[in-house]
Amino acid sequence: MLPTAALRTGQEAITLTEIELKLTAAPGDLPALMQALEALGKRTSTTASLLTSTYYDSPDLKLQQRHLTLRVREQGAQYVQTVKSGDLMEADFISRGEWEDLITGNEPDLDAPQTGHRLKQKVEKGELRPLFTTIVRRTVIELEPVPSTRIEAAVDEGGIRSTDGKAVEPVSEIELELKSGDPVAIYDVALQLLDIAPLRIETRSKAERGLRARRAG
């Protein structure tokens, strides 16, 4: 994910390929895992925030059929619109296309410079409906496990909720995202975390989990 501070309304955000590994953990193990992350390599900063992210699509899921997800995230007083590409059911679990814009409101903006044009030919604004919302407390720990390699570890705890506010699935996971350097370092960090607590690789995105929970409900 792009740093929010790097985004500007009305200007293009940078396009990137997201390289990350998601690990599911028991909620009770998260404090020990966070301590272990802070002890790994060079810790440059640790921040915590509450993130509310609403996922949108048409009633007949036109975006999903085209392997796109649309999310509007509220973080403090800012709203970030994100479009991700990749087959939700068969996606490469370590890398996906991602584009972001800072927008002025809490609803999708099809005129946003970087993300809007990826949506306009696939769905009309009037078709978009909120499908579900994720509400998580995120703790971000910046790591430099080896020289010239930076990893952002995001520890998320919360849940996926349907549009009526009902909790449908808990979230308790660690995302290791490569910012620069060798992708192998992500696996090295994951192996060290396995010495602290049991972990499971989560191949499903929050978007996929939300859609499946919505169907089950």
Side-chain angles (χ1 to χ4, degrees):
M1 182 181 68
L2 288 173
T4 302
L7 301 174
R8 297 290 184 273
T9 303
Q11 297 180 359
E12 285 197 358
I14 299 171
T15 303
L16 69 139
T17 298
E18 185 180 50
I19 298 177
E20 69 175 23
L21 182 65
K22 294 178 185 286
L23 303 167
T24 298
D29 290 330
L30 289 181
L33 290 166
M34 281 192 284
Q35 288 182 357
L37 284 168
E38 291 175 348
L40 287 175
K42 177 183 178 183
R43 180 169 64 91
T44 58
S45 64
T46 301
T47 59
S49 58
L50 183 66
L51 303 179
T52 301
S53 303
T54 302
Y55 290 77
Y56 290 83
D57 205 335
S58 65
D60 54 353
L61 304 179
K62 289 181 179 178
L63 295 180
Q64 183 196 344
Q65 292 169 22
R66 292 163 174 81
H67 310 317
L68 294 175
T69 62
L70 169 61
R71 178 187 76 201
V72 176
R73 171 170 288 169
E74 179 182 355
Q75 185 171 357
Q78 294 183 316
Y79 295 95
V80 179
Q81 177 168 285
T82 302
V83 173
K84 293 188 179 185
S85 66
D87 188 337
L88 289 181
M89 303 307 169
E90 299 179 3
D92 177 351
F93 67 88
I94 194 169
S95 64
R96 300 179 67 192
E98 178 179 316
W99 303 269
E100 293 190 338
D101 287 293
L102 187 64
I103 60 176
T104 57
N106 62 354
E107 295 184 351
D109 180 0
L110 267 61
D111 293 319
Q114 186 73 1
T115 55
H117 72 91
R118 302 179 188 279
L119 303 169
K120 278 186 174 180
Q121 296 181 350
K122 302 170 181 66
V123 67
E124 299 290 336
K125 183 175 181 179
E127 293 181 284
L128 292 173
R129 300 288 187 275
L131 300 180
F132 54 89
T133 298
T134 63
I135 303 174
V136 300
R137 178 173 177 79
R138 169 169 289 184
T139 301
V140 176
I141 303 169
E142 301 288 346
L143 304 174
E144 190 177 330
V146 295
S148 302
T149 295
R150 292 194 309 111
I151 294 173
E152 179 182 275
V155 182
D156 288 348
E157 186 170 16
I160 301 171
R161 301 175 181 273
S162 60
T163 52
D164 61 6
K166 180 181 178 181
V168 293
E169 185 172 344
V171 173
S172 177
E173 64 187 27
I174 297 171
E175 296 181 4
L176 300 174
E177 181 176 348
L178 185 73
K179 293 300 184 180
S180 64
D182 187 352
V184 172
I186 288 180
Y187 293 100
D188 291 338
V189 171
L191 288 173
Q192 292 181 69
L193 293 178
L194 273 173
D195 291 334
I196 307 300
L199 297 167
R200 178 174 59 84
I201 292 177
E202 178 58 84
T203 60
R204 302 169 301 165
S205 67
K206 290 185 180 69
E208 181 188 346
R209 293 165 65 186
L211 284 170
R212 288 188 173 180
R214 182 173 177 267
R215 292 192 190 100

